[in-house]
Amino acid sequence: MNIAVVGTGYVGLVGGTCFAEMGNQVICVDIDESKVAKLQSGTVTIYEPGLEVYFDRGIRENRLSFTTDLAEALEPADVVFLALPTPPAEDGSADLQYVLGVADDIGKLLAANPDWGYKVLVDKSTVPVGTARRVIEAVEAHGLKAGEHFDVVSNPEFLREGVAVEDFMKPERVVIGTDSERAGEIMTRLYEPFVRSGNPIIVMDEESAEMTKYAANSLLATKITFMNEIANLCDLVGADVDKVRRGIGTDSRIGSKFLYAGIGFGGSCFPKDVQALHRTAREEGYEFRMLQAVLDVNDDQKTVLVPRITAALGGEDLTGKTIGIWGLAFKPHTDDVREAPAHVVIRELVARGASVQAFDPEAVETTQAAFEHTPLEGPGSLTYSESAYAAASGADALVVATEWPEFRRPDLDRVRESMKQPLVFDGRNVFDSKRMAELGFTYSSIGRPSYEAATVERGATA
Ligand SMILES: NC(=O)c1ccc[n+]([C@@H]2O[C@H](COP(=O)([O-])OP(=O)(O)OC[C@H]3O[C@@H](n4cnc5c(N)ncnc54)[C@H](O)[C@@H]3O)[C@@H](O)[C@H]2O)c1
């Protein structure tokens, strides 16, 4: 099949590359000229495990190409994916300017080139209920007719950054929202090779497909947030959230995933999608109170370690204190730092005068770009370290903000010996509390008992 993908970010690049891997002919379009130039020269522009192999093969075998010219991609395409940003507008609703702008451009091009034939236009972006209808209107405004010249399908994407390639190649389900039999058949044919193990392709109306994506992300964000509140309460009553997690996660009605407490969720999806669903509800005159609570709790959760750090380091003013940060990405295995809790912690520390030294295996460049866009404020500073050990070296305290695998089993004796004070604040519960105390750290984590350094004898838990 001939495919155009408009928007070559995390979703567009992964989707386009995976469609090409499945033998389709794919042209990806982006307005970002420097991104397209890099892709054309054979450089993958995001960090996503497994992507490079398929990307290289797609290019080598001439199934995958990149352009800034929408017309070039649109002309041969049977199916056109819109994988465009839908960032939060000021009121929290999804900003549809990119999606509707491209729909308008496509309408213009199709009207001027009637010989290009019927196209299926696919909303891959996460968009509020009613967007498929608005895309139809934007294209029909150019004298075209849905059902005849084109159809619009809502096909929400459920990939997780960090395992995006695997998720795209073997989705647990594919949701196709359309009332058009013709478009539904084309989409089913396109996706069949991805669900050969029997996972379902679920066809439904556009509105339900659009709602499915928001419902999924909001429920997952709620699950994490619920666990974070349980953790906060565990801290107060002396329970251990890890044990509670195991205790409830074995209940098949609850399930074991998304029960890990930490310093809040981030990323480009959960925060904005929860906000957008809350906003949609409000526009309909319905106050979705649970979602507001999720957003409020998550905001607070990102800074839950800050008062502990200031208390341990002698007060609000952190001038002269060095703090190491392990992890900048919003989660491991990605370079995406959008809404990353680590960034919020860094902002708070720099505002209080701390010298922050941070390390992340993949997300330094994206962090630099983010802080260039929205500079840090305050008397403190941020520098980037070459390694996890370098970030801990000379530090008065170390904060674990992202659970990259390499942070799980470092040489902790080396870490302690290099630090000014053996103080660790673990925002992702990667270490065992007692073991850390045995090793001589004063260790604080989320929802688990803390132990003072050396109050537990070395070897006590061996
Ligand atoms: N990132 C994820 O994990 C994920 C998962 C599921 C769904 N989604 C949804 O998918 C959509 C895209 O997300 P993303 O993370 O890939 O965004 P992104 O910001 O990484 O990529 C969007 C791309 O679109 C390009 N673009 C903007 N305007 C354009 C135009 N007029 N023509 C061509 N290209 C244009 C940008 O330059 C950018 O490269 C969003 O709605 C998001 O909510 C994202």
Side-chain angles (χ1 to χ4, degrees):
M1 228 177 256
N2 285 308
I3 293 174
V5 179
V6 190
T8 313
Y10 284 87
V11 169
L13 183 57
V14 170
T17 304
C18 290
F19 281 131
E21 175 68 12
M22 221 38 113
N24 297 290
Q25 209 58 41
V26 181
I27 307 180
C28 296
V29 192
D30 207 285
I31 43 162
D32 182 335
E33 288 177 9
S34 69
K35 188 180 277 191
V36 171
K38 269 194 201 155
L39 291 163
Q40 283 171 333
S41 73
T43 308
V44 182
T45 44
I46 55 171
Y47 173 74
E48 194 56 58
L51 184 59
E52 212 162 317
V53 176
Y54 292 167
F55 176 87
D56 289 346
R57 184 157 42 226
I59 292 178
R60 198 172 59 239
E61 298 184 2
N62 291 321
R63 286 193 304 271
L64 180 63
S65 63
F66 301 92
T67 180
T68 52
D69 181 6
L70 179 61
E72 184 190 330
L74 189 60
E75 182 179 354
D78 305 301
V79 182
V80 184
F81 283 90
L82 308 188
L84 294 154
T86 48
E90 272 197 3
D91 62 2
S93 63
D95 183 348
L96 291 178
Q97 61 165 311
Y98 304 96
V99 170
L100 296 178
V102 169
D104 181 53
D105 292 343
I106 290 175
K108 252 182 241 157
L109 284 165
L110 293 184
N113 299 283
D115 55 321
W116 285 2
Y118 169 86
K119 314 276 181 204
V120 179
L121 310 182
V122 185
D123 286 338
K124 191 53 139 171
S125 301
T126 302
V127 289
V129 175
T131 303
R133 174 92 332 253
R134 293 179 68 184
V135 170
I136 291 175
E137 284 164 11
V139 179
E140 284 192 332
H142 297 278
L144 299 160
K145 210 166 164 349
E148 188 181 331
H149 304 105
F150 73 99
D151 273 304
V152 173
V153 171
S154 167
N155 169 221
E157 180 51 56
F158 300 101
L159 64 76
R160 296 162 296 167
E161 284 179 22
V163 274
V165 172
E166 203 183 314
D167 281 351
F168 201 93
M169 294 302 277
K170 288 185 184 165
E172 286 186 332
R173 82 298 208 185
V174 174
V175 169
I176 293 174
T178 181
D179 290 328
S180 153
E181 216 171 284
R182 184 179 182 186
E185 272 172 23
I186 293 172
M187 292 298 288
T188 303
R189 217 176 327 125
L190 176 63
Y191 273 111
E192 264 164 0
F194 293 89
V195 290
R196 287 176 51 78
S197 58
N199 286 344
I201 294 177
I202 308 167
V203 182
M204 57 179 81
D205 59 276
E206 295 91 327
E207 289 77 9
S208 303
E210 290 165 339
M211 182 58 95
T212 296
K213 174 67 190 174
Y214 281 107
N217 272 4
S218 297
L219 184 57
L220 293 170
T222 302
K223 202 171 174 189
I224 296 174
T225 304
F226 175 83
M227 234 22 221
N228 285 339
E229 291 227 87
I230 291 288
N232 293 343
L233 195 51
C234 282
D235 272 334
L236 296 173
V237 299
D240 182 335
V241 75
D242 266 353
K243 293 178 182 152
V244 176
R245 173 176 57 75
R246 284 201 290 274
I248 64 173
T250 39
D251 184 328
S252 62
R253 294 168 304 174
I254 295 171
S256 58
K257 292 182 179 163
F258 275 75
L259 292 180
Y260 290 83
I263 51 171
F265 61 78
S268 67
C269 292
F270 285 179
K272 89 171 166 58
D273 293 350
V274 176
Q275 255 187 66
L277 186 57
H278 183 258
R279 186 69 211 174
T280 297
R282 193 170 268 181
E283 278 162 13
E284 298 299 323
Y286 181 72
E287 196 57 34
F288 204 143
R289 286 169 295 174
M290 221 166 87
L291 293 185
Q292 187 58 55
V294 168
L295 292 167
D296 292 344
V297 171
N298 194 57
D299 273 351
D300 290 349
Q301 196 67 17
K302 289 181 181 178
T303 56
V304 82
L305 291 177
V306 175
R308 297 193 208 171
I309 296 169
T310 53
L313 294 183
E316 277 295 305
D317 183 2
L318 295 177
T319 311
K321 304 291 182 196
T322 299
I323 298 178
I325 302 274
W326 281 6
L328 295 164
F330 84 92
K331 66 173 184 179
H333 308 290
T334 181
D335 58 353
D336 198 342
V337 294
R338 291 177 280 188
E339 306 272 341
H343 283 201
V344 177
V345 175
I346 290 170
R347 283 190 186 283
E348 293 290 328
L349 297 177
V350 168
R352 288 169 175 77
S355 303
V356 176
Q357 46 191 40
F359 170 74
D360 188 287
E362 295 294 338
V364 170
E365 259 178 54
T366 43
T367 293
Q368 283 168 326
F371 288 145
E372 229 162 75
H373 182 264
T374 317
L376 291 165
E377 286 172 15
S381 63
L382 169 64
T383 54
Y384 300 97
S385 305
E386 286 299 312
S387 68
Y389 294 111
S393 177
D396 295 279
L398 176 66
V399 178
V400 181
T402 315
E403 64 277 34
W404 282 95
E406 69 178 273
F407 302 153
R408 289 186 184 275
R409 289 292 176 272
D411 178 345
L412 287 167
D413 284 325
R414 179 175 165 193
V415 170
R416 189 196 58 248
E417 278 156 22
S418 76
M419 291 180 72
K420 223 182 274 167
Q421 305 185 53
L423 266 179
V424 173
F425 296 89
D426 183 353
R428 298 298 176 189
N429 289 357
V430 301
F431 299 124
D432 179 87
S433 308
K434 250 191 191 162
R435 173 117 183 94
M436 289 301 277
E438 288 168 22
L439 287 171
F441 288 97
T442 295
Y443 176 75
S444 170
S445 58
I446 309 291
R448 304 183 308 168
S450 298
Y451 299 93
E452 287 292 319
T455 54
V456 179
E457 257 179 55
R458 205 163 175 157
T461 57

